C-alpha cells in the first residue's frame, strides 16, 4: 500500500520538528505516510508546491518565509487563513489547494489548556511581523 506524501516547506527548514511529530502521530494512529522537509528557494515557492502536487503530495505545512505566499496560492481558504492573510497548512485534492492557518488556535490552546493560563483580560506582547504573527494575532485578540 503506497504511503500518503506530506512535507514541510520553508527556507530555512532544517529547524522544523514536523517530520518527527507527524511520523510519531502516524505510528500511534496506524496511518501510512511519508513526511519530509523541503528546502525551497526563496523565489521558487509556487513552483515547489506545484511540483510536490505533481509527485502526488496530499498536503504540506508551511514555515518561514512562505506563509503569505501560501495563502495567496490557495484556491480555497479557511476563515482563519482569510483573517491572517497567511497560511501554515495547504491541502491538495484534484481540483483545489485549500489553505488554513492553525498557528493561532494551536498557541491559544497551548497557553490556556496546557499551561493553564487564561488569556481573558490579559495584556500580551506579540513580537514579530511575519506569517506566524499574522496567524496568532486574531485568535489572541
Amino acid at each position: 500500500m503506497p504511503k500518503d506524501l506530506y512535507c514541510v516547506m520553508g527556507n530555512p527548514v532544517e529547524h522544523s520538528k514536523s517530520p518527527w511529530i507527524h511520523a510519531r502521530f502516524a505510528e500511534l494512529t496506524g496511518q501510512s505516510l511519508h513526511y519530509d522537509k523541503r528546502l525551497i528557494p526563496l523565489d521558487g515557492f509556487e513552483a515547489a508546491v506545484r511540483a510536490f502536487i505533481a509527485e502526488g503530495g496530499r498536503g504540506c505545512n508551511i514555515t518561514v518565509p512562505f506563509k503569505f505566499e501560501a495563502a495567496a496560492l490557495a484556491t480555497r481558504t479557511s476563515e482563519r487563513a482569510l483573517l491572517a492573510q497567511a497560511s501554515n497548512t495547504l491541502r491538495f485534492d484534484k481540483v483545489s489547494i485549500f489553505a488554513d492557518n492553525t498557528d493561532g488556535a494551536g498557541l491559544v490552546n497551548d497557553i490556556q489548556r496546557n499551561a493553564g493560563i487564561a488569556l481573558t483580560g490579559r495584556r500580551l506582547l506579540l513580537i514579530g511581523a511575519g506569517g506566524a504573527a499574522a496567524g496568532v494575532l486574531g485568535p489572541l485578540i
Side-chain angles (χ1 to χ4, degrees):
M1 178 176 188
K3 293 184 175 188
D4 290 340
L5 182 60
Y6 298 93
C7 73
V8 57
M9 294 184 176
N11 188 330
V13 74
E14 195 54 40
H15 66 281
S16 178
K17 304 294 183 213
S18 291
W20 180 87
I21 292 166
H22 289 279
R24 182 70 175 130
F25 180 80
E27 177 186 336
L28 293 173
T29 60
Q31 296 183 36
S32 179
L33 65 82
H34 177 78
Y35 190 110
D36 64 6
K37 298 176 187 177
R38 295 197 176 198
L39 178 63
I40 306 303
L42 294 176
D43 62 350
F45 179 71
E46 182 175 352
V49 169
R50 300 221 182 270
F52 184 64
I53 293 169
E55 292 172 35
R58 305 274 315 266
C60 59
N61 290 98
I62 308 300
T63 189
V64 297
F66 300 118
K67 293 183 181 194
F68 294 116
E69 286 184 63
L73 183 61
T75 56
R76 295 184 314 122
T77 308
S78 73
E79 292 285 327
R80 298 183 296 203
L82 282 173
L83 178 64
Q85 296 181 2
S87 171
N88 71 327
T89 66
L90 295 176
R91 185 179 71 223
F92 316 120
D93 61 32
K94 293 179 181 172
V95 297
S96 67
I97 298 173
F98 178 74
D100 193 10
N101 193 309
T102 61
D103 284 334
L107 178 63
V108 168
N109 182 64
D110 197 37
I111 292 170
Q112 293 188 141
R113 187 174 179 183
N114 298 334
I117 299 170
L119 291 173
T120 304
R122 297 239 183 207
R123 295 176 136 217
L124 301 169
L125 172 63
L126 177 62
I127 299 174
V136 302
L137 187 57
L140 284 173
I141 292 172

